[in-house]
Amino acid sequence: MTKSVSTEMRGDVAVVWIDNPPVNALSHHVREGIVRELKGAVDSGAKAAVIAGRGGTFIAGADIREFGKPLQEPGLPEVCDIIEATTIPVVAAVEGNTLGGGLETALACHYRVTNARAKVGLPEVALGLLPGAAGTQRLPRCLKNPVEAVTMVSSGRPISGEKAAQIGLADQLSKGNVVDDAVDMANGINDNDLTGRRLSKVELEMTPEIAAIFDAAMVEIAKKAKGAIAPLKAAECVRAAYELPYAEGVKKERATFMELLPGDQSRALRHMFFAERQAQKPPADVSGEAREVKKVGILGAGTMGGGIAMTYAEAGFDVTMLEMSEEALDRGLGVMEKNWARGIKSGRITEAGVAERMARLTRTTSYDDLADCDLIIEAVFETMAVKKEVFGKLDAVAKPGAVLATNTSYLDINEIAAQTSRPHDVLGMHYFSPANIMPLLEIVRADKTADDVLLTALAVARKTRKTAVVARVGHGFIGNRMLTPYLRQANLLVLEGASPAEVDKALTDFGWAMGPFAVSDLAGLDIGYKSRQDQDLSQHEQRIYTAADRLVEAGHLGQKSGSGFYKYDPQTRARSENPDATSIIEEVRSELGINTRSITAEEIVERTQFALANEGAHVLGEGVAQRASDIDVVYNHGYGYPRWRGGPMHYVDTVGLKTVASKIAEWTEGAGGVHWEPSDLLMELADQDKSFAEWDKAK
Ligand code: 3HC
Ligand code: NAI
């Protein structure tokens, strides 16, 4: 077996190579290997050592799979201390991903050489952690400016190698081969007095100016954290580097790391890390190669078609947009241009970048112009008759092998596919609004979708930087389907006595980006109204939305009309109570003979979140979603569910399915029982004292 850490002698310099694909994580054998090989280098009389990573990348951090398991010695803090204490100069060849424990390893070295493309950072907060191998203590001792350290640690955002060199994190910016340059540097070091190069020995002093920087940073970090605890704790540890001697600072960092590691937030965030990667993989029964996609056709230049076209043009695809009229094309392209102009204003894109994107767009009203497209995505009105007509026309013009996708939110894709002579080429590609920004893409595998068509959709998702989740056909697929019982409970809670603002506040306090009533106002209350009218709802179901329907009938359509469940300031869009909504709600309650009561935030959270997970369990039971963790990805990436809660299914696992099931059973037997349909899967798992995570694993 090849060793994951081995030494190559280049003259008098020992190059200690780390070879632990795919990202050179610091697994136990790597930590052991670094210590062993460095000792070997010293014992063999090497003049200096270089630590380098195979595959053009240094080290992407600790091995996340080892978290939560018993630590196998040596731990990373100890390895870093050993590196720093090495009696010969040690140079880090910082290239590729140098993240987390990887950067901490580099900071323990005496010198760092990097290149402009390297990605250097401490992303631990994204896992609900903070650097746990003295990163919060060595980084500020290495940088000229405390702001950089506190920003890197609390945001988790990596910086480029170029910036790392500018701010003093790296000693040299290589324009050629980083490892060769690191060896050259090692060869040139003639002074073995490394005291000044050992960051743990650098003294920092807290001054009133630095204290003021931290005070301001803490306020900003708390604002941005939105309930996540790690960013502030990480920043506090950086502050401690200025306030405490090194050893004390390290102790504080270690204690905080050990406190965060088993916590709910870190477990949820680590769950999300693996869930996202798992979701992108093709289903186990799918094989073959993705088809090549260069040219994309988009039907409909409305809200969704425009956003989808922006996504593909931004990713470098040629895009042909088809609409019913030149006016509709003018309108659609106008909105896209305006969105890009905002991007120029904010500095996100350049004028030349926008010009390039516009040049990739072709407009047409003729289906013949779609004949050379490799992928065609339909985003026209949500009516089966219109979709069928469009797919019939597409079937007539699309070239053989073209992938035909629909962005339908709810409709039966098998029925749409059956309209063509090639149902195996048809699938759903369900984007979320605004499609150029929202990362989620539900890929809906219809009954006859060919394997290579599904693989093509997964491949273009990657190229367009979308997070794909594979679903099966079913009303509303995964995300929208689950929204119905969630919104049902939110509206019931209002009928029972909570105000829309109380419901929204309980849920934003829980961590949701927006509450359900603010979201409904944003989307437009007329959308739900129309969809309810198109469906054959039961009387029970209709009753729940009486207030929402009356608001629409009274002209309160949400943000677009200046009022809905809330009133909106025309200038600032600030929300306030809408007295008309309050009267309508009170009127409806009294008509329905409801005795209102005060409702706690806890009940609001439980009823809505358990309803969401219960429907998720139905979705799983029916095979519409493959894994509970896929549902978590859908809600994180498409609906503003708090990432640090890990998604609706992970959340109920955290609560305990026994508790969740007994609450659902209680509600099902209570007055509102008609609104509950307990999932067999959830109830069975609760009976067996199991979790959704265990169910996923057993599959
Ligand atoms: N530990 C274990 N596995 C890891 C890993 C890590 N640190 N980083 C990535 N992987 C695995 C992924 O799970 C994936 O496995 P799979 O193929 O079985 O699904 C595989 O490596 C490839 O990962 P990606 O698909 O994400 O590859 P990309 O090339 O898109 O991205 C990356 C590479 C930027 C390194 C990205 O994987 C990443 O951000 N990794 C996490 C980095 C991180 O958070 N580091 C800090 C860890 S915590 C720490 O160091 C604590 C310390 O302070 C004590
Ligand atoms: P929209 O009304 O904003 O745009 C639809 C566009 O399609 C219009 O510009 C219209 O002129 C055009 N169109 C209609 N029939 C056409 C035809 N036969 N040929 C060419 N163009 C035609 O609608 P929106 O919101 O963009 O929705 C489009 C689809 O995306 C629907 O299926 C919808 O359910 C789905 N969707 C909508 C989301 C949203 O938040 N708006 C989210 C996800 C999916």
Side-chain angles (χ1 to χ4, degrees), residues 337-355 357-358:
E337 263 185 284
K338 241 191 233 160
N339 285 340
W340 275 327
R342 264 205 297 273
I344 297 176
K345 227 176 170 184
S346 69
R348 201 173 55 82
I349 29 176
T350 60
E351 247 168 85
V354 171
R357 286 160 208 206
M358 292 300 289

Side-chain angles (χ1 to χ4, degrees), residues 432-681:
F432 290 71
S433 180
N436 56 314
I437 298 188
M438 293 298 285
L440 181 64
L441 171 63
E442 276 183 347
I443 297 179
V444 189
R445 188 180 180 192
D447 290 354
K448 295 195 175 154
T449 304
D451 283 6
D452 60 346
V453 168
L454 186 67
L455 292 171
T456 307
L458 282 164
V460 293
R462 240 188 332 273
K463 285 191 187 144
T464 50
R465 296 161 162 263
K466 295 292 178 193
T467 310
V469 174
V470 177
R472 282 286 192 178
V473 176
H475 185 75
F477 316 117
I478 300 175
N480 284 348
R481 153 100 178 258
M482 289 168 62
L483 216 48
T484 304
Y486 168 73
L487 292 176
R488 182 186 295 140
Q489 288 304 321
N491 280 278
L492 276 169
L493 285 158
V494 166
L495 282 184
E496 291 168 36
S499 69
E502 280 168 348
V503 173
D504 280 356
K505 179 165 187 324
L507 293 170
T508 49
D509 285 353
F510 177 81
W512 283 81
M514 283 173 92
F517 294 102
V519 170
S520 300
D521 273 0
L522 182 66
L525 298 185
D526 50 327
I527 292 184
Y529 181 82
K530 185 178 174 303
S531 115
R532 282 191 291 279
Q533 289 204 320
D534 291 347
Q535 290 173 58
D536 190 16
L537 294 184
S538 72
Q539 219 184 339
H540 296 301
E541 195 74 357
Q542 259 166 5
R543 266 170 49 127
I544 301 172
Y545 300 100
T546 317
D549 288 350
R550 280 204 199 150
L551 277 169
V552 174
E553 284 153 11
H556 299 284
L557 306 184
Q559 283 204 20
K560 61 182 158 195
S561 72
S563 62
F565 281 104
Y566 299 94
K567 218 171 162 163
Y568 295 89
D569 184 291
Q571 256 80 52
T572 62
R573 287 208 217 160
R575 266 201 305 266
S576 60
E577 191 195 326
N578 177 7
D580 286 356
T582 310
S583 333
I584 288 174
I585 291 165
E586 275 167 7
E587 186 182 284
V588 172
R589 283 170 181 159
S590 119
E591 277 171 27
L592 297 176
I594 295 168
N595 287 324
T596 56
R597 62 192 171 90
S598 82
I599 296 177
T600 62
E602 190 189 2
E603 180 175 345
I604 294 169
V605 167
E606 285 185 341
R607 292 239 318 252
T608 52
Q609 302 316 294
F610 296 179
L612 195 57
N614 184 56
E615 196 63 19
H618 280 300
V619 164
L620 280 179
E622 292 166 22
V624 171
Q626 300 179 81
R627 287 171 287 262
S629 63
D630 284 359
I631 296 178
D632 291 335
V633 174
V634 165
Y635 264 80
N636 262 257
H637 288 253
Y639 294 85
Y641 192 94
R643 196 178 163 79
W644 52 267
R645 295 262 188 206
M649 308 313 279
H650 178 87
Y651 173 66
V652 290
D653 270 358
T654 313
V655 173
L657 292 192
K658 264 196 186 321
T659 307
V660 175
S662 84
K663 281 275 181 177
I664 293 177
E666 186 189 308
W667 293 325
T668 307
E669 277 158 28
V674 68
H675 303 295
W676 286 94
E677 198 185 316
S679 141
D680 289 345
L681 175 63

Side-chain angles (χ1 to χ4, degrees), residues 99-295:
L99 303 172
L103 179 53
E104 290 173 300
T105 304
L107 287 167
C109 295
H110 307 119
Y111 298 87
R112 286 156 290 280
V113 177
T114 189
N115 64 8
R117 289 186 312 280
K119 257 175 81 183
V120 182
L122 292 168
E124 284 87 343
V125 288
L127 300 170
L129 297 168
L130 78 176
T136 63
Q137 305 304 299
R138 283 198 179 97
L139 183 66
R141 286 176 162 81
C142 173
L143 301 186
K144 296 162 194 148
N145 185 339
V147 174
E148 306 286 0
V150 79
T151 306
M152 279 178 76
V153 170
S154 63
S155 75
R157 267 193 313 275
I159 58 171
S160 66
E162 188 165 20
K163 173 134 194 224
Q166 280 162 11
I167 63 176
L169 207 168
D171 303 285
Q172 189 184 310
L173 191 63
S174 163
K175 291 208 164 59
N177 182 301
V178 177
V179 180
D180 291 349
D181 287 352
V183 171
D184 284 350
M185 179 189 252
N187 259 320
I189 302 168
N190 291 317
D191 186 359
N192 261 8
D193 178 8
L194 296 165
T195 323
R197 304 299 312 181
R198 293 190 171 107
L199 289 172
S200 70
K201 307 291 177 214
V202 173
E203 293 206 358
L204 291 181
E205 190 193 342
M206 184 55 106
T207 64
E209 291 75 30
I210 294 175
I213 288 174
F214 275 102
D215 289 346
M218 296 300 190
V219 173
E220 272 308 297
I221 294 164
K223 235 194 271 167
K224 284 192 191 141
K226 296 197 176 109
I229 51 177
L232 208 54
K233 289 198 180 270
E236 278 163 9
C237 284
V238 179
R239 183 181 194 134
Y242 290 85
E243 291 171 339
L244 301 173
Y246 177 80
E248 292 299 310
V250 167
K251 237 192 234 168
K252 180 180 165 77
E253 179 199 89
R254 196 73 206 144
T256 317
F257 183 88
M258 294 316 285
E259 171 198 323
L260 290 173
L261 186 63
D264 284 347
Q265 290 204 0
S266 177
R267 290 158 79 107
L269 288 161
R270 282 182 274 138
H271 161 76
M272 284 314 301
F273 178 84
F274 291 114
E276 282 156 357
R277 280 154 185 82
Q278 181 69 43
Q280 317 299 308
K281 295 186 176 141
D285 62 337
V286 166
S287 60
E289 294 278 322
R291 299 180 188 174
E292 196 182 5
V293 175
K294 285 199 170 134
K295 196 157 187 189

